[in-house]
Amino acid sequence: GQQVMQIPQYQHVQEGEDFTTYCNSSTTLSNIQWYKQRPGGHPVFLIQLVKSGEVKKQKRLTFQFGEAKKNSSLHITATQTTDVGTYFCAVINTNAGKSTFGDGTTLTVKP
Amino acid sequence: DSGVTQTPKHLITATGQRVTLRCSPRSGDLSVYWYQQSLDQGLQFLIQYYNGEERAKGNILERFSAQQFPDLHSELNLSSLELGDSALYFCASSASSRGTGANVLTFGAGSRLTVL
């Protein structure tokens, strides 16, 4: 089945530093989504990217979809302690019955 | 509150036993997904239902089964439980199969299963 590789597995940063997680696929993706799971919580949808080269921003978070639609990244500028959690990329296609999550990147932030 | 309700929140049982986890999707959502998350692990897709019918199967063991009822709630049955089945089981729902919102998953709070 379709697989998405996500790196790094863990990232420890000092508060105020930037953070980036990457998601890569060997095949072209129809869309990619990002979810955040806080410690002890459940995954929460952040954003969906559909178009080649798409860039979307949510405050300090910047999401990119590669030109070839085979990779994506999530960048957080000036991390805060509220950013801690695990960030997952995912490829979901309800109609086609596809559901693949990356292994996630766990972010810890030192105050 | 995400709108997806899972019960029970916590469950402790013994090896060899059988349990049923229940999920009520968000109002209007036709699709239900089940995922397993072991300690510090990723989300393993188990199975998806759409409007009562099985749509896709992931890494679901033969000891596990699921179904979606006419009122769209879903149940995940886990039998002959083993220690390794201890995990957080998430249910997620999504809207109809058309439109950009169709692929957005709304997760429940999860059911934590401990097998002793």
Side-chain angles (χ1 to χ4, degrees):
Chain A
Q2 187 165 58
Q3 289 193 342
V4 286
M5 306 301 293
Q6 190 173 353
I7 57 169
Q9 188 174 2
Y10 299 98
Q11 186 80 55
H12 312 284
V13 301
Q14 198 76 34
E15 190 172 20
E17 292 182 338
D18 292 356
F19 158 77
T20 306
T21 173
Y22 301 90
C23 205
N24 296 291
S25 169
S26 58
T27 59
T28 302
L29 305 172
S30 56
N31 68 75
I32 195 159
Q33 302 178 358
W34 288 91
Y35 292 78
K36 176 183 179 181
Q37 184 178 20
R38 293 180 186 274
H42 58 275
V44 174
F45 172 77
L46 293 177
I47 209 156
Q48 176 171 256
L49 305 172
V50 178
K51 298 177 185 175
S52 167
E54 190 169 13
V55 178
K56 286 189 177 180
K57 292 192 176 186
Q58 290 179 351
K59 297 183 181 177
R60 293 176 296 103
L61 277 61
T62 301
F63 304 84
Q64 292 189 322
F65 202 7
E67 293 290 341
K69 299 181 75 173
K70 289 185 176 182
N71 58 78
S72 181
S73 65
L74 158 58
H75 179 81
I76 302 179
T77 304
T79 55
Q80 299 175 358
T81 54
T82 53
D83 294 325
V84 298
T86 300
Y87 293 85
F88 293 98
C89 62
V91 181
I92 311 290
N93 188 323
T94 296
N95 203 36
K98 292 189 189 300
S99 169
T100 303
F101 277 76
D103 288 337
T105 296
T106 299
L107 171 66
T108 56
V109 180
K110 271 189 183 179
Chain B
D1 183 7
S2 66
V4 178
T5 304
Q6 287 189 249
T7 57
K9 284 186 170 33
H10 302 276
L11 191 54
I12 301 175
T13 188
T15 54
Q17 295 298 306
R18 172 191 167 95
V19 298
T20 297
L21 310 180
R22 183 189 166 104
C23 170
S24 293
R26 206 175 50 153
S27 178
D29 285 358
L30 300 178
S31 215
V32 168
Y33 295 74
W34 285 98
Y35 294 88
Q36 179 193 57
Q37 187 174 46
S38 301
L39 191 63
D40 292 335
Q41 297 292 312
L43 291 156
Q44 298 300 315
F45 170 61
L46 297 178
I47 198 163
Q48 178 205 353
Y49 282 85
Y50 176 74
N51 203 19
E53 294 191 3
E54 183 184 302
R55 177 62 64 91
K57 251 184 179 177
N59 300 320
I60 188 166
L61 300 172
E62 284 191 11
R63 301 183 285 110
F64 295 0
S65 65
Q67 57 185 130
Q68 186 179 29
F69 295 87
D71 67 353
L72 300 177
H73 91 270
S74 178
E75 292 181 356
L76 178 67
N77 301 297
L78 316 175
S79 62
S80 303
L81 286 168
E82 302 175 359
L83 296 178
D85 297 327
S86 295
L88 198 50
Y89 291 85
F90 284 110
C91 166
S93 70
S94 68
S96 69
S97 61
R98 291 182 174 78
T100 55
N103 301 322
V104 175
L105 300 185
T106 302
F107 281 80
S111 292
R112 183 170 294 282
L113 172 66
T114 302
V115 182
L116 301 177

